[in-house]
């Protein structure tokens, strides 16, 4: 696969570029600790890039692996930061965290030499709190639909443009394949464990039905509405026969495991799953297509992808702030963003890279799917600020109650609305 072949050469090239671009050479060598995620190839890319920085600057880097679940990662970070721990200098943070964690990070603007201006303005705005640039973007994310090209072809079905079409096609293929002896094939897999990933999936269903974003950008709580309930009813319907009960415990990697081993027709996941599904030894290599998530029903239905993405931030409690900032600038540079894209399929947060011929050759769908990224739906983390995680926790639990059949969508959204009203003291976040 061009992806993996490209990556060895690309890293070699990066080492040379990095050698020229390394910002400052410290008088005294030191060790910087960086907390990175380990979903898909994240940790591997993080290690390769930080090793390159260490070689170029004569310092050492200690890469600390963190839990796959963004919710567990947040809990770990909150513990460390609340204790003012100097153990981690650089934190890889989720796009929804600047409001929750921003006060623990330094302003990076004095170190970047304006490099942040290369990034998408909306991400920059998201990462700026009280005039401080609290994080530099690494890559941007959006929910995508993965499908089995070979199975759609075998059954003469088109790539579904609506959720309704997806449901019908998934059922037809699942039934047909099971009759032909594929007992373990499922129609659709997604992230339905009670955590932040379920918030993303459910927000996509609801926004695609025209049911809003739980809390509107002006702070108004909007979740108790009929379209949102219809969207959740649709997903609860899949639980009856199209999705394995196991999805209730799936985060991204479990979902990918089922799809990549050939046991699902459709999968909702982030871009990182693409190169892995096409890697040597993947049972679905050459059989996968990727496109925008389906739209909800007319007249208000639209395609909606949740906006995700990760950034690097430097802790206020770090004993090596300038050095840590230098590492962050290196790891988020244009050259590094190319490596995240070439090896891991991560969408750059730098618009100019979508014109880069080598990147487009390795990831032909970057260009086609870019509009899904630029129009992706943000979770209400800006409107709800430091309370976002409580809002999201209440939301994913309400959705989970619907998927498990504990409550109807209508009832669980009505009690969620009341709960969010109390949490916000009547919408004043
Ligand atoms: C991805 C997204 C992140 C989101 C998480 C949920 O990592 O980039 O923004 O919060 O998935 O599981």
């Amino acid at each position: 696969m061009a992806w993996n072949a490209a990556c060895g050469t690309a890293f070699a090239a990066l080492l040379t570029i990095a050698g020229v671009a390394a910002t400052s050479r410290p008088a005294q060598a030191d060790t910087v600790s960086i907390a990175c995620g380990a979903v898909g190839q994240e940790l591997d890319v993080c290690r390769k890039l930080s090793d390159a920085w260490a070689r170029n600057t004569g310092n050492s880097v200690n890469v600390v692996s963190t839990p796959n679940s963004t919710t567990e990662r947040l809990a770990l970070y909150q513990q460390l930061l609340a204790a003012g721990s100097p153990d981690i200098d650089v934190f890889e943070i989720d796009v929804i965290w600047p409001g929750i964690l921003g006060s623990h990070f330094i302003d990076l603007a004095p170190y970047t030499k304006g490099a942040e201006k290369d990034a998408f303005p909306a991400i920059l705005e998201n990462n700026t709190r009280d005039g401080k640039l609290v994080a530099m973007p690494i890559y941007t994310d959006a929910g995508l639909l993965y499908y089995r090209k070979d199975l759609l072809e075998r059954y003469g079905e088109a790539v579904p443009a609506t959720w309704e079409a997806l449901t019908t096609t998934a059922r037809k293929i699942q039934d047909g394949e099971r009759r032909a002896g594929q007992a373990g094939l499922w129609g659709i897999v997604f992230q339905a464990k009670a955590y932040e990933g379920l918030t993303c999936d459910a927000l996509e269903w609801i926004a695609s039905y025209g049911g809003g974003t739980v809390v509107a950008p002006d702070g108004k709580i909007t979740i108790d509405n009929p379209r949102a309930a219809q969207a959740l009813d649709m997903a609860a319907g899949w639980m009856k026969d199209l999705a394995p009960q196991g999805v209730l415990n799936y985060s991204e990697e479990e979902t990918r495991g089922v799809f990549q081993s050939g046991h699902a027709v459709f999968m909702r996941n982030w871009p990182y799953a693409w190169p892995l599904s096409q890697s040597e030894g993947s049972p679905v290599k050459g059989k996968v297509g990727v496109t925008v998530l389906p739209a909800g029903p007319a007249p208000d239905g639209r395609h909606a992808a949740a906006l995700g993405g990760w950034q690097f931030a430097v802790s206020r409690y770090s004993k090596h702030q300038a050095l840590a900032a230098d590492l962050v600038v290196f790891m988020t540079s244009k050259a590094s963003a190319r490596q995240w894209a070439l090896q891991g399929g991560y969408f750059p947060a730098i618009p100019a890279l979508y014109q880069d011929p080598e990147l487009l050759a390795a990831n032909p769908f970057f260009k086609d799917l870019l509009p899904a990224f630029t129009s992706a739906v943000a979770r209400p983390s800006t409107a709800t600020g430091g309370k976002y995680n409580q809002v999201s926790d209440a939301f994913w639990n309400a959705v989970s109650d619907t998927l498990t059949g504990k409550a109807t969508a209508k009832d669980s959204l009505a009690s969620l609305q009341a709960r969010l009203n109390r949490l916000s003291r009547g919408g004043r976040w």
Side-chain angles (χ1 to χ4, degrees), residues 70 94-96 141 195-197 200 252 270 308-310 379:
T70 195
D94 201 331
V95 69
I96 49 180
D141 243 353
Y195 81 120
E196 185 63 31
C200 296
E252 286 78 5
W270 308 96
W310 290 84
R379 285 161 274 174

Side-chain angles (χ1 to χ4, degrees), residues 314-348:
V314 172
S315 165
R316 277 209 288 136
Y317 318 110
S318 160
K319 298 221 161 77
H320 327 275
Q321 293 180 8
L323 207 54
D326 194 63
L327 173 62
V328 167
V329 169
F330 175 85
M331 304 258 307
T332 57
S333 68
K334 233 185 234 167
S336 294
R338 294 181 85 254
Q339 303 317 306
W340 286 96
L342 281 172
Q343 183 181 343
Y346 299 101
F347 274 64

Side-chain angles (χ1 to χ4, degrees), residues 38-229:
V39 175
Q41 303 183 71
E42 214 174 5
L43 194 65
D44 192 50
V45 180
C46 183
R47 279 220 166 94
K48 282 183 178 147
L49 288 171
S50 43
D51 284 353
W53 177 84
R55 272 195 298 279
N56 289 329
T57 63
N59 294 290
S60 318
V61 181
N62 175 24
V63 177
V64 180
S65 166
T66 56
N68 278 356
S69 153
T70 195
T71 302
E72 286 169 31
R73 239 197 265 190
L74 176 62
L76 174 72
Y77 286 6
Q78 280 177 317
Q79 253 175 29
L80 288 164
L81 293 166
S85 162
D87 292 351
I88 304 288
D89 302 289
V90 177
F91 286 85
E92 187 187 6
I93 70 160
D94 201 331
V95 69
I96 49 180
W97 296 344
I100 303 176
L101 301 178
S103 61
H104 296 286
F105 301 133
I106 66 164
D107 183 7
L108 290 169
Y111 302 97
T112 59
K113 303 204 176 87
E116 69 277 16
K117 298 202 177 74
D118 290 339
F120 284 112
I123 303 182
L124 210 58
E125 197 184 316
N126 180 76
N127 293 359
T128 305
R129 293 289 137 149
D130 302 325
K132 278 190 335 183
L133 179 63
V134 297
M136 282 289 282
I138 313 166
Y139 63 87
T140 182
D141 243 353
L144 297 172
L145 179 71
Y146 290 78
Y147 57 91
R148 286 282 300 279
K149 277 193 306 204
D150 58 327
L151 291 177
L152 289 187
E153 258 162 46
R154 190 178 307 159
Y155 287 82
E157 289 295 331
V159 177
T162 62
W163 290 112
E164 200 188 346
L166 177 141
T167 305
T168 313
T169 304
R171 183 160 291 121
K172 178 174 171 186
I173 298 179
Q174 180 183 291
D175 289 353
E177 288 297 289
R178 286 193 182 178
R179 273 197 299 274
Q182 300 296 322
L185 185 81
W186 291 96
I188 179 162
V189 287
F190 51 97
Q191 297 79 45
K193 179 173 155 173
Y195 81 120
E196 185 63 31
L198 179 54
T199 287
C200 296
D201 289 35
L203 189 82
E204 287 164 348
W205 307 328
I206 292 175
S208 78
Y209 269 67
T213 56
V214 186
V215 176
D218 65 2
K220 190 162 172 253
I221 302 158
T222 58
I223 190 57
D224 186 15
N225 71 76
R227 289 191 186 129

Side-chain angles (χ1 to χ4, degrees), residues 181-314:
Q182 300 296 322
L185 185 81
W186 291 96
I188 179 162
V189 287
F190 51 97
Q191 297 79 45
K193 179 173 155 173
Y195 81 120
E196 185 63 31
L198 179 54
T199 287
C200 296
D201 289 35
L203 189 82
E204 287 164 348
W205 307 328
I206 292 175
S208 78
Y209 269 67
T213 56
V214 186
V215 176
D218 65 2
K220 190 162 172 253
I221 302 158
T222 58
I223 190 57
D224 186 15
N225 71 76
R227 289 191 186 129
Q230 271 170 27
L232 294 191
D233 281 338
M234 164 193 75
W238 299 333
M239 295 306 302
K240 294 197 190 96
D241 59 347
L242 285 181
Q245 284 301 308
V247 293
L248 298 169
N249 271 317
Y250 289 179
S251 60
E252 286 78 5
E253 283 294 76
E254 291 82 9
T255 314
R256 181 173 70 82
V258 172
F259 183 78
Q260 195 167 314
S261 59
H263 292 108
V265 186
F266 295 109
M267 166 175 77
R268 183 272 175 211
N269 215 326
W270 308 96
Y272 85 92
W274 170 258
L276 295 165
S277 76
Q278 298 309 299
S279 59
E280 272 326 308
S282 160
V284 294
K285 183 168 193 263
K287 299 179 178 169
V288 178
V290 57
T291 187
V292 291
L293 287 164
D300 300 311
R302 50 171 287 209
H303 298 278
L307 176 69
W310 290 84
Q311 351 287 315
F312 281 127
V314 172

